[in-house]
Amino acid sequence: MTRKQDESLYIVPDQTEDLLAGRCADPFAVLGRHNAGKVDVVRAFCPDAAKVRLVLQRPRSAPVERAMRPVDDTGMYIGIIPAGARYHFRIVWADAVEEAEDPYSFGPLLNEDDLRSFQQGKTCHPDRMLGAHPMVIHGVAGVRFAVWAPNAHRVSVIGDFNIWDSRRHPMRLRHTAGIWEIFIPHIGAGERYKFEIMQKDGLILPQKADPFAKFSERPPATASVVASGTTFEWKDDEWMRSRSARHSPSAPISIYEVHVPSWRRPAGDPDRVATWSDLIQELIPYAIENGFTHIELLPIMEYPFGGSWGYQSLGLFAPSARHGTPAEFAEFIDACHRERLGVILDWVPAHFPNDVHGLACFDGTALFEHQDPREGVHRDWNTLIYNFGRHEVRSFLISSALMWLEQYHVDGLRVDAVASMLYRDYSRNDGNWIPNIYGGRENLEAADFIRELNDAVRREVPDALVIAEESTSWPGVTRTTAEGGLGFSFKWNMGWMHDTLTFIQRDPVWRGHHLSEVLFGVHYAFSEHFVLSLSHDEVTHGKGSLIARMPGDHWQKHAGLRSYLAFMWCHPGKKLLFMGSEIAQQREWNHDAEIDWKALEDPLKAGMQILVRDLNHLLRVCPALHELDCDPKGFSWVIGDDVNNSVLAWLRFAENGVPVVVVWNMTPVVRYHYKVGVPSGGRWHELINTDGKIYGGSNAGNGGGVNAVEQPSHGYTWSCEITLPPLAVLVLSPVFPEF
């Protein structure tokens, strides 16, 4: 009788055939421990093993081994142990003996409330639940894997640890949120892995990288990598305490935009790209020396195609392996902060590439994207658009943003392609887009997502910046969400950039007739909190470099660019300049080559760099040039109608400080005894003269300053007679600040 009962315990369940065929949707129903009264039946799937033994762990005596019975040649093994006994496997392979815990002996891993919060879009941190997390469960070290794939029939973790065999580690489905989970003992950081997903119809999808992976292989390899769970030891307390003041609308902010792979190639080797360690040694001192308050990195979230410059990101939680490990990236951020340099990352929640190992059709359905291409495909970029109406997708994106800000102490995110998110007809012809529920073109779900994102950042990391690249007139981009706005900290001023670049390329003979292209920007300069940006987009796609767009001969081109940059630094708004422009790089930016550093052998190029350095230092020490950037009280035109001479002059004010007068001569003609009204008498010091010899100019000017006399002009009681150098900007102040 007993023998018959024992034999019945070795009968395999009905789902075993599906398990062996790799199509079992519930592997925990077959594998692991299953109670049968006073004993537990343990089943294991170990194909290619010579034998498998159960090792019973007893609290007061030595472990006991029991053989497991193979089920024909299927790779399935069955053993019997006392109910509740602790056990592990001793697996004999052809060339080794392995001690292994049973991954199917662990119960459900994720909390039901957390699952429900993710499904309802009520969590900002699903990355703490999903992905690969090294941890210890019941005294056993291993990695917990979890992935969202609600429409899959079966999901397995595959990797080096199971010879990429999907039959070895199929996962448990948590129906509450459509999340699959498993804990694999005795593996840890550094393991390569992917997910193999079977559709409902039984079709196996291409192997998928982990959407929540914190690290990945270096492209073109595509596997995810288990990241260390060790917390980085930060040494940037002083910076973090002061960050709120540094990010105020009244603070001096000057951003150096950098594409890391092409900033500088180590040792000039075109086949190498800089590591985070290289950048600590070179980029940080360079940015500090040249006076920038922040650097902004084109996307460093893992991306498969280098030609996208990172804007087609797939690993939204993983710093690119091109430059080092996550710990080395954290060390770079920490080093920046210790040198009082902020770091902003470009971040792309608008769209993602359609690489088969990525998010596209992730579980056999349009999970992260829209099903209808009229909503889900960017024709311009051949990419897919996130479904902002889905709770889980919004949580995925918001958790990415918060991870960079919280885990890596990043100081801000520049959100790319916001305009493409806000409009359903963005770059689409009639009939190729679907109106919103009110029949309009606005993407209401995207706008709600953006508000939710900015509210989450304000709540969790209130001193971080979130900057919009938004090229339309959408109202209230930088107003708070409580006021009906989108909630961004700042917005790139694309209109200012387009108008002024159009103007500066004109022949100086005709500039006086087009002053409106410069004047118009002040009409809306205070409608939002703006960043004036001369970004990577202005020096690529056949547009040429900034210096190449200046009219005139070699000297005039450099003089024109010097004056344009000074105009920008003295105009209301924070500043952003793309790498290479500070040395007047002649050629258009090439992402496959470094900046033309040898150009600095030209005194005019070196002079441009010195000017940018001085403008940045002046921006910091002169409150009138930054304190009221976002307030109309901080600006007043002095001369805005001198069509014949092509001269503009304006005043910048501080809340309680000293004003400055800025005068711009837009022609290559020296103008003597040019009268400019000023708000006070006495000496006005020449803080900047872009025609100075040190910058490569002709050194025309006013010997360091002029005296204002009591002769009314331009609505002021006092005025100065100034020598205006050719194609130059003068910055004058009654006080000479310490540089």
Side-chain angles (χ1 to χ4, degrees):
M1 188 73 177
T2 302
R3 182 176 178 81
K4 290 182 180 178
Q5 181 183 6
D6 289 344
E7 287 299 320
S8 69
L9 299 177
Y10 289 93
I11 297 174
V12 294
D14 293 339
Q15 303 99 314
T16 301
E17 184 177 344
D18 286 342
L19 178 77
L20 301 178
R23 56 175 181 264
C24 182
D26 186 10
F28 283 81
V30 180
L31 301 172
R33 179 203 301 267
H34 300 269
N35 183 255
K38 295 183 178 180
V39 297
D40 288 340
V41 178
V42 178
R43 304 187 196 97
F45 180 60
C46 302
D48 303 321
K51 63 177 66 175
V52 181
R53 300 180 67 81
L54 282 165
V55 180
L56 275 64
Q57 301 161 12
R58 300 188 295 179
R60 289 183 293 274
S61 56
V64 172
E65 286 192 30
R66 293 188 178 179
M68 298 187 75
R69 181 183 298 181
V71 179
D72 300 325
D73 57 355
T74 62
M76 178 75 74
Y77 289 81
I78 302 176
I80 309 298
I81 61 173
R86 293 198 61 184
Y87 70 94
H88 68 268
F89 299 131
R90 177 166 292 137
I91 306 172
V92 179
W93 304 100
D95 56 355
V97 176
E98 176 188 5
E99 303 285 336
E101 300 288 341
D102 182 2
Y104 295 94
S105 66
F106 296 88
L109 306 170
L110 300 175
N111 180 280
E112 277 290 334
D113 289 339
D114 292 339
L115 294 169
R116 196 170 295 108
S117 292
F118 175 67
Q119 188 267 334
Q120 296 172 352
K122 294 181 179 179
T123 176
C124 292
H125 295 288
D127 59 303
R128 299 175 183 176
M129 174 175 63
L130 292 156
H133 295 269
M135 59 180 56
V136 176
I137 298 180
H138 304 319
V140 178
V143 176
R144 186 192 71 198
F145 295 91
V147 63
W148 179 52
N151 303 301
H153 176 72
R154 183 266 297 165
V155 180
S156 295
V157 182
I158 53 177
D160 295 328
F161 46 84
N162 61 18
I163 59 173
W164 301 87
D165 184 346
S166 62
R167 299 172 301 165
R168 294 176 185 260
H169 290 114
M171 305 172 78
R172 171 194 282 122
L173 174 62
R174 303 297 300 276
H175 293 273
T176 301
I179 289 175
W180 301 76
E181 64 174 17
I182 193 171
F183 178 72
I184 301 181
H186 303 314
I187 64 171
E191 292 280 2
R192 301 187 305 152
Y193 72 98
K194 283 187 176 181
F195 297 111
E196 184 181 277
I197 299 175
M198 177 182 283
Q199 296 182 162
K200 292 292 189 185
D201 61 4
L203 178 68
I204 301 292
L205 295 171
Q207 297 173 353
K208 295 289 188 178
D210 182 359
F212 284 88
K214 298 294 179 69
F215 195 41
S216 300
E217 286 187 291
R218 180 170 179 163
T222 58
S224 302
V225 176
V226 177
S228 170
T230 304
T231 302
F232 183 78
E233 295 184 10
W234 294 93
K235 305 178 185 68
D236 63 349
D237 289 351
E238 181 182 348
W239 169 270
M240 298 300 282
R241 284 193 298 268
S242 68
R243 191 167 71 172
S244 180
R246 295 175 186 273
H247 288 171
S248 164
S250 63
I253 297 177
S254 177
I255 304 166
Y256 185 52
E257 190 188 29
V258 175
H259 176 250
V260 172
S262 63
W263 182 71
R264 178 167 285 162
R265 299 288 176 136
D269 185 343
D271 296 324
R272 292 177 59 195
V273 296
T275 65
W276 299 120
S277 178
D278 293 329
L279 296 168
I280 289 172
Q281 299 299 317
E282 298 188 54
L283 176 58
I284 295 176
Y286 182 83
I288 293 294
E289 180 184 0
N290 286 283
F292 292 97
T293 64
H294 293 71
I295 56 173
E296 180 176 319
L297 305 182
L298 272 61
I300 54 86
M301 300 82 190
E302 195 61 84
Y303 54 99
F305 175 47
S308 76
W309 316 330
Y311 288 103
Q312 294 188 13
S313 306
L314 272 181
L316 261 63
F317 296 82
S320 178
R322 293 169 173 84
H323 311 297
T325 67
E328 289 166 341
F329 175 67
E331 175 57 37
F332 170 74
I333 301 294
D334 198 47
C336 287
H337 289 173
R338 296 198 303 271
E339 296 296 330
R340 296 179 295 281
L341 181 67
V343 182
I344 299 166
L345 301 183
D346 280 10
W347 180 67
V348 189
H351 61 116
F352 59 91
N354 57 14
D355 298 63
V356 294
H357 71 281
L359 303 178
C361 197
F362 188 77
D363 64 357
T365 67
L367 191 62
F368 289 87
E369 70 272 32
H370 292 272
Q371 180 69 41
D372 192 322
R374 292 175 296 172
E375 295 184 282
V377 177
H378 263 309
R379 298 297 183 190
D380 290 351
W381 304 320
N382 194 30
T383 55
L384 302 175
I385 300 170
Y386 287 105
N387 184 347
F388 302 113
R390 190 157 196 167
H391 296 316
E392 298 92 338
V393 173
R394 292 199 305 274
S395 292
F396 166 74
L397 293 170
I398 291 170
S399 65
S400 167
L402 291 177
M403 187 216 70
W404 297 105
L405 299 174
E406 294 177 325
Q407 181 175 325
Y408 286 111
H409 287 201
V410 166
D411 301 292
L413 300 172
R414 199 277 291 183
V415 183
D416 184 65
V418 171
S420 78
M421 300 166 66
L422 290 174
Y423 298 97
R424 287 175 165 266
D425 64 345
Y426 181 87
S427 195
R428 294 178 186 274
N429 298 322
D430 290 345
N432 289 326
W433 61 281
I434 300 175
N436 63 34
I437 57 174
Y438 303 109
R441 59 194 285 257
E442 299 81 9
N443 190 326
L444 304 178
E445 294 83 3
D448 286 344
F449 159 71
I450 289 170
R451 295 187 185 100
E452 187 178 349
L453 163 71
N454 285 321
D455 282 344
V457 173
R458 292 292 154 263
R459 184 176 62 250
E460 305 291 329
V461 199
D463 56 353
L465 297 173
V466 188
I467 303 169
E469 186 212 17
E470 203 285 306
S471 56
T472 74
S473 55
W474 186 282
V477 172
T478 58
R479 284 205 301 268
T480 67
T481 58
E483 298 171 315
L486 293 181
F488 284 102
S489 313
F490 291 95
K491 168 183 171 174
W492 275 15
N493 194 334
M494 311 293 279
W496 175 91
M497 177 270 297
H498 284 297
D499 288 348
T500 60
L501 278 177
T502 298
F503 175 82
I504 202 66
Q505 294 175 78
R506 296 188 182 278
D507 189 312
V509 172
W510 309 112
R511 283 178 177 171
H513 302 286
H514 299 277
L515 292 181
S516 61
E517 292 169 347
V518 174
L519 299 173
F520 181 63
V522 176
H523 286 288
Y524 60 87
F526 309 104
S527 62
E528 302 276 6
H529 293 176
F530 281 121
V531 174
L532 308 182
S533 59
L534 294 175
S535 74
H536 62 281
D537 279 331
E538 311 322 314
V539 292
T540 188
H541 297 315
K543 297 175 184 175
S545 65
L546 292 184
I547 191 68
R549 293 153 83 167
M550 301 295 123
D553 60 26
H554 186 67
W555 187 91
Q556 289 175 337
K557 285 178 180 290
H558 286 80
L561 182 56
R562 289 196 303 268
S563 70
Y564 180 54
L565 293 178
F567 161 67
M568 173 181 175
W569 255 253
C570 295
H571 191 285
K574 309 311 176 186
K575 325 301 175 192
L576 178 140
L577 188 66
F578 184 57
M579 65 182 201
S581 297
E582 81 279 10
I583 64 168
Q585 176 167 293
Q586 202 70 36
R587 64 168 172 82
E588 184 175 271
W589 170 51
N590 177 5
H591 69 270
D592 285 327
E594 69 176 7
I595 292 173
D596 291 338
W597 296 108
K598 289 185 178 180
L600 287 170
E601 296 172 2
D602 180 345
L604 291 177
K605 309 291 187 187
M608 193 73 67
Q609 186 184 54
I610 295 170
L611 174 66
V612 170
R613 184 181 310 161
D614 287 352
L615 288 171
N616 276 329
H617 289 311
L618 184 63
L619 182 73
R620 289 175 185 257
V621 302
C622 193
L625 291 179
H626 64 257
E627 198 173 85
L628 295 175
D629 266 335
C630 304
D631 190 324
K633 293 186 302 183
F635 181 92
S636 178
W637 285 114
V638 178
I639 301 171
D641 57 356
D642 190 348
V643 174
N644 293 327
N645 293 304
S646 296
V647 172
L648 291 177
W650 62 94
L651 276 160
R652 295 293 308 275
F653 300 96
E655 190 70 58
N656 297 302
V658 178
V660 297
V661 170
V662 186
V663 188
W664 186 9
N665 178 11
M666 305 170 185
T667 66
V669 178
V670 180
R671 304 201 180 276
Y672 298 98
H673 308 296
Y674 191 92
K675 184 176 284 190
V676 178
V678 293
S680 63
R683 186 72 171 171
W684 281 74
H685 302 277
E686 208 171 62
L687 305 185
I688 288 285
N689 174 356
T690 65
D691 190 52
K693 184 177 180 180
I694 191 173
Y695 307 133
S698 67
N699 219 31
N702 301 277
V706 293
N707 292 314
V709 297
E710 195 169 350
Q711 293 184 5
S713 184
H714 304 108
Y716 293 96
T717 305
W718 294 272
S719 62
C720 304
E721 284 196 358
I722 303 173
T723 297
L724 298 183
L727 294 171
V729 165
L730 300 179
V731 182
L732 304 170
S733 171
V735 173
F736 197 91
E738 292 292 331
F739 272 71

